[in-house]
Structures are given as C-alpha cells and as structure tokens.
Amino acid sequence: MVEALEPGEGVEKVLPIMAPYTRASLELKAERTVVKARGLEVGGVRIAAIAGPCSVESEEQTLRTAHAVKAAGAKILRGGAYKPRTSPYEFRGLGKQGLEILARARDETGLAIITEVMTPADIETVYEYTDIFQIGARNSQNYYLLEEVGRAGKPVMLKRGLSMMMEEWLLAAEYVLSQGNPNVIFCERGIRTFENQTRNTLDIAAVPVMQKLSHLPVFVDPSHAAGKRPFVRACALAGVAAGADGLMIEVHPSPDHALSDGNQSLNFDEFNELVPRIAKVADAVGRTLPVAGTLV
Ligand code: PEP
Ligand code: MN
C-alpha cells in the first residue's frame, strides 16, 4: 500500500497510520502477552481469579479470607494496605502493617499478592511485599507513578480511570511499558456515567475492544463496577462471557462490618458458590478456570 502511493506525483511522503500506543498495540506485537507473577500465568487460556478484601483490616480478617478464597479456587489474594478513599476521614488502610499481613497470608497459602501503590514514595516498600502492583482508578493517569512502577519491574495491574477513554487507558499503560516493563494487565472496573443504580457502569464492551487493540491481558472487577452485592455475580459472569482474562472480586468474612466497600463485597459462601459458575462460563467461551488445588 505504502509502496503503491510513494512514487505518486505530488506525494512527498506516505506515513502508515499506527496506533500512538506503540508498545501496547496488537499491531506491533501479534502474540498475546502472558504475564507471569509468582509462577502464575495470567493471560493464557486459563483465566485467573483474584479475590480478597477491599482493605487489609487485621491479620485475622486477611488470613481467614486468604484461606477461604484459596479453597474456593482463587489464585491471587487482593487487599489494600494504602487505600485511596474519597473522604480523608474514612479508613485509609494499615500501610506497612497491612503489607506484612499480606505477606503472612502468602506464606500460609501460597497465593500470589496484589496490592495498590498510590505514590512513588511507597514503591520501594510495596515492592518488597507484593507480586503485582495495583494502580487504582484514581491514579490511572498519574504519569510519574506509572513510570516509576514501570521501572520497578514487577507486573502492574492498571485499573481504568473513572472517566477514561480506552485510548487514554492504552496510553497510560504505555508509560509503564516504555520503562522496559512489559507486564501490564488492564482491569475494567466500571466507568462513571449518569446512571446511579450501580456504583459505576461496567463497560463490558471494553473487554473485546481492549483485546482487539492490545496484546495485554484484560481483567474485569465486577465489585467496583456494580458497587452492590446482588449484582456482582452477574457482572462477574458477564466479564468472563465477554472474554476477560480474569476477575478481581472483593470478598470479606463479614461484609456488613467491612471498613471499606462492604456493600459490594461477597461473603465466603457467595464467593464459593460463584466460582463454579465462573468455571462453567469460562468453559463455554473456550477458557478454563483451574479448579481449587491445581498449581497454575
Ligand atoms: C480497590 O480495588 O479497592 C479500588 C480502590 O479500586 P478502584 O481503584 O478501581 O476504585
Ligand atoms: Mn474496594
């Protein structure tokens, strides 16, 4: 095509139109990226379930949750130690103590850990404990933070910002990738729209669209999308049906007493009951959710 136009009269130069997100783009890397975290592969045929509390609140709460989600089939434990809260007067996490609790949960269960880092100043500390850095929706366009986690060299899950267009999301990933870190996972967690029956609007189409534009894995977080427990299950299943490479789900031993996001957290029974359904939907779309007890 370019060659055909090049010698044309009045044509000085022909530039193929390439996506501006060169490293994230499927145009330049045709094979899908499989992100490895603690022996786990994210982004292949197997889908992965990340589960755990919104916030690490105590050792007991986190360890109990870790054992419960592992038994149900999750492979990665989530839990915030540094929490971005809308109000500064709400529980903002246990900080380093929270990271230590997560590490204990990993030691006991063998689950990989994902936790949020909110500022470049905390990267070194969080790096010591986490297997995957979570960049939250509110920080998804904090470009200095993105570059710094890119340099840190562990996998990064990049949540979609509250009003982020997909191209902006891809370009945000580019900040991490351009620092030599190829291990980025996108996470659709709902966007802000006029609708308020749900906390956010789960943009289910973002899954196939992002997978068409990029080789990077795409997860769905049905908890922050729905914001209300009764709708988490349907959003989770819809995410898998749409082709998500994994799910991130908030689970708490006693959601009504959670210090953050209790409204949208599943209890152990609810999560336990959801996992086999996820596996069925995964199967229907040519993916698998490894059953509890298998390694990868
Ligand atoms: C979270 O995962 O608890 C969280 C704060 O998510 P988000 O950044 O998507 O709001
Ligand atoms: Mn939360």
Side-chain angles (χ1 to χ4, degrees):
M1 181 67 183
V2 171
E3 290 77 12
L5 290 170
E6 208 97 69
E9 213 167 295
V11 178
E12 190 189 296
K13 205 174 186 183
V14 179
L15 294 173
I17 296 171
M18 299 292 266
Y21 36 89
T22 50
R23 289 179 169 87
S25 171
L26 198 59
E27 277 178 24
L28 287 181
K29 177 178 180 285
E31 346 61 90
R32 307 215 74 87
T33 291
V34 173
V35 173
K36 293 197 183 70
R38 233 193 154 69
L40 256 179
E41 291 191 345
V42 169
V45 166
R46 299 182 181 97
I47 64 167
I50 301 175
C54 178
S55 304
V56 174
E57 299 169 5
S58 70
E59 178 158 328
E60 200 238 339
Q61 168 245 16
T62 303
L63 291 187
R64 276 183 65 203
T65 310
H67 284 286
V69 300
K70 184 187 177 175
K75 298 286 181 229
I76 303 172
L77 176 70
R78 63 149 289 142
Y82 300 93
K83 294 301 303 176
R85 301 307 301 275
T86 303
S87 160
Y89 309 120
E90 290 174 316
F91 177 64
R92 293 167 67 186
L94 296 178
K96 189 152 190 266
Q97 194 198 341
L99 298 175
E100 283 161 5
I101 292 172
L102 285 170
R104 239 164 281 148
R106 174 177 52 211
D107 289 346
E108 278 201 16
T109 60
L111 291 169
I113 298 288
I114 179 168
T115 196
E116 179 161 353
V117 65
M118 286 173 48
T119 161
D122 290 334
I123 289 179
E124 220 178 297
T125 310
V126 176
Y127 181 93
E128 277 179 50
Y129 295 90
T130 201
D131 299 303
I132 305 173
F133 283 110
Q134 177 173 328
I135 300 293
R138 293 157 188 81
N139 262 321
S140 57
Q141 286 177 294
N142 181 337
Y143 299 126
Y144 291 115
L145 177 63
L146 292 169
E147 282 186 330
E148 286 286 331
V149 282
R151 282 195 276 275
K154 280 192 182 180
V156 174
M157 173 172 272
L158 177 58
K159 289 205 151 190
R160 186 176 185 178
L162 290 141
S163 65
M164 200 180 211
M165 293 169 76
M166 287 187 235
E167 183 161 318
E168 293 169 326
W169 197 8
L170 289 153
L171 286 166
E174 213 65 23
Y175 276 88
V176 179
L177 301 169
S178 65
Q179 298 308 305
N181 183 350
N183 297 310
V184 175
I185 303 164
F186 291 113
C187 183
E188 161 62 40
R189 44 78 75 209
I191 49 175
R192 184 162 285 174
T193 68
F194 49 81
E195 184 52 69
N196 65 3
Q197 293 293 328
T198 49
R199 181 175 178 187
N200 293 287
T201 297
L202 177 59
D203 182 6
I204 206 73
V207 176
V209 174
M210 290 295 282
Q211 286 171 337
K212 179 147 195 300
L213 298 174
S214 175
H215 50 81
L216 297 168
V218 181
F219 272 49
V220 164
D221 169 350
S223 308
H224 290 86
K228 295 177 186 171
R229 203 171 314 143
F231 310 126
V232 169
R233 183 173 98 173
C235 291
L237 298 178
V240 178
D245 296 292
L247 296 172
M248 179 187 250
I249 302 177
E250 289 187 336
V251 177
H252 192 281
S254 176
D256 292 340
H257 300 103
L259 296 183
S260 62
D261 286 351
N263 283 347
Q264 66 194 35
S265 299
L266 302 185
N267 64 31
F268 296 166
D269 286 345
E270 287 163 335
F271 183 66
N272 213 18
E273 191 250 357
L274 174 58
V275 173
R277 289 168 193 269
I278 294 170
K280 275 194 184 169
V281 175
D283 191 49
V285 295
R287 308 293 286 275
T288 61
L289 180 79
V291 291
T294 53
L295 244 182
V296 188

PDB file of all heavy atoms in Angstrom, residues 54 78 83 224 250 261 264, ligand 2:
ATOM      1  N   CYS A  54     -11.399  -5.599  50.279  1.00  0.00           N
ATOM      2  CA  CYS A  54     -11.035  -4.285  49.759  1.00  0.00           C
ATOM      3  C   CYS A  54      -9.789  -3.817  50.498  1.00  0.00           C
ATOM      4  O   CYS A  54      -8.774  -3.526  49.892  1.00  0.00           O
ATOM      5  CB  CYS A  54     -12.197  -3.312  49.960  1.00  0.00           C
ATOM      6  SG  CYS A  54     -11.816  -1.655  49.402  1.00  0.00           S
ATOM      7  N   ARG A  78      -6.034 -10.325  46.902  1.00  0.00           N
ATOM      8  CA  ARG A  78      -6.008  -8.870  46.869  1.00  0.00           C
ATOM      9  C   ARG A  78      -6.224  -8.338  48.280  1.00  0.00           C
ATOM     10  O   ARG A  78      -6.769  -9.021  49.156  1.00  0.00           O
ATOM     11  CB  ARG A  78      -7.066  -8.292  45.928  1.00  0.00           C
ATOM     12  CG  ARG A  78      -8.503  -8.577  46.308  1.00  0.00           C
ATOM     13  CD  ARG A  78      -9.460  -7.452  45.863  1.00  0.00           C
ATOM     14  NE  ARG A  78      -9.261  -6.253  46.661  1.00  0.00           N
ATOM     15  CZ  ARG A  78      -9.321  -5.021  46.196  1.00  0.00           C
ATOM     16  NH1 ARG A  78      -9.611  -4.803  44.942  1.00  0.00           N
ATOM     17  NH2 ARG A  78      -9.100  -3.976  46.995  1.00  0.00           N
ATOM     18  N   LYS A  83      -5.054   2.847  50.962  1.00  0.00           N
ATOM     19  CA  LYS A  83      -6.353   2.963  50.314  1.00  0.00           C
ATOM     20  C   LYS A  83      -6.660   4.374  49.844  1.00  0.00           C
ATOM     21  O   LYS A  83      -6.611   5.314  50.630  1.00  0.00           O
ATOM     22  CB  LYS A  83      -7.462   2.573  51.308  1.00  0.00           C
ATOM     23  CG  LYS A  83      -7.449   1.125  51.739  1.00  0.00           C
ATOM     24  CD  LYS A  83      -7.595   0.145  50.586  1.00  0.00           C
ATOM     25  CE  LYS A  83      -8.845   0.352  49.759  1.00  0.00           C
ATOM     26  NZ  LYS A  83      -8.864  -0.574  48.591  1.00  0.00           N
ATOM     27  N   HIS A 224     -16.269  -3.236  42.056  1.00  0.00           N
ATOM     28  CA  HIS A 224     -16.321  -1.776  41.984  1.00  0.00           C
ATOM     29  C   HIS A 224     -17.263  -1.309  40.890  1.00  0.00           C
ATOM     30  O   HIS A 224     -17.798  -0.203  40.960  1.00  0.00           O
ATOM     31  CB  HIS A 224     -14.919  -1.194  41.792  1.00  0.00           C
ATOM     32  CG  HIS A 224     -14.082  -1.361  43.024  1.00  0.00           C
ATOM     33  ND1 HIS A 224     -13.370  -2.501  43.267  1.00  0.00           N
ATOM     34  CD2 HIS A 224     -13.888  -0.561  44.098  1.00  0.00           C
ATOM     35  CE1 HIS A 224     -12.757  -2.390  44.444  1.00  0.00           C
ATOM     36  NE2 HIS A 224     -13.054  -1.220  44.968  1.00  0.00           N
ATOM     37  N   GLU A 250     -14.051  -8.599  45.323  1.00  0.00           N
ATOM     38  CA  GLU A 250     -13.880  -8.321  46.755  1.00  0.00           C
ATOM     39  C   GLU A 250     -14.664  -9.323  47.601  1.00  0.00           C
ATOM     40  O   GLU A 250     -15.860  -9.537  47.380  1.00  0.00           O
ATOM     41  CB  GLU A 250     -14.303  -6.876  47.064  1.00  0.00           C
ATOM     42  CG  GLU A 250     -13.282  -5.895  46.497  1.00  0.00           C
ATOM     43  CD  GLU A 250     -13.486  -4.448  46.883  1.00  0.00           C
ATOM     44  OE1 GLU A 250     -14.638  -4.058  47.207  1.00  0.00           O
ATOM     45  OE2 GLU A 250     -12.507  -3.696  46.844  1.00  0.00           O
ATOM     46  N   ASP A 261     -15.925  -0.687  51.405  1.00  0.00           N
ATOM     47  CA  ASP A 261     -16.594  -1.419  50.325  1.00  0.00           C
ATOM     48  C   ASP A 261     -17.344  -2.677  50.762  1.00  0.00           C
ATOM     49  O   ASP A 261     -17.451  -3.642  49.988  1.00  0.00           O
ATOM     50  CB  ASP A 261     -15.583  -1.747  49.216  1.00  0.00           C
ATOM     51  CG  ASP A 261     -15.231  -0.506  48.392  1.00  0.00           C
ATOM     52  OD1 ASP A 261     -15.890   0.544  48.574  1.00  0.00           O
ATOM     53  OD2 ASP A 261     -14.299  -0.579  47.572  1.00  0.00           O
ATOM     54  N   GLN A 264     -20.303  -4.012  48.491  1.00  0.00           N
ATOM     55  CA  GLN A 264     -20.047  -4.725  47.244  1.00  0.00           C
ATOM     56  C   GLN A 264     -19.225  -5.992  47.458  1.00  0.00           C
ATOM     57  O   GLN A 264     -18.870  -6.670  46.498  1.00  0.00           O
ATOM     58  CB  GLN A 264     -19.320  -3.798  46.258  1.00  0.00           C
ATOM     59  CG  GLN A 264     -17.921  -3.410  46.722  1.00  0.00           C
ATOM     60  CD  GLN A 264     -17.335  -2.248  45.949  1.00  0.00           C
ATOM     61  OE1 GLN A 264     -18.052  -1.334  45.545  1.00  0.00           O
ATOM     62  NE2 GLN A 264     -16.048  -2.272  45.692  1.00  0.00           N
TER      63      GLN A 264
HETATM   64 MN    MN B   2     -12.585  -1.555  47.141  1.00  0.00          MN
END
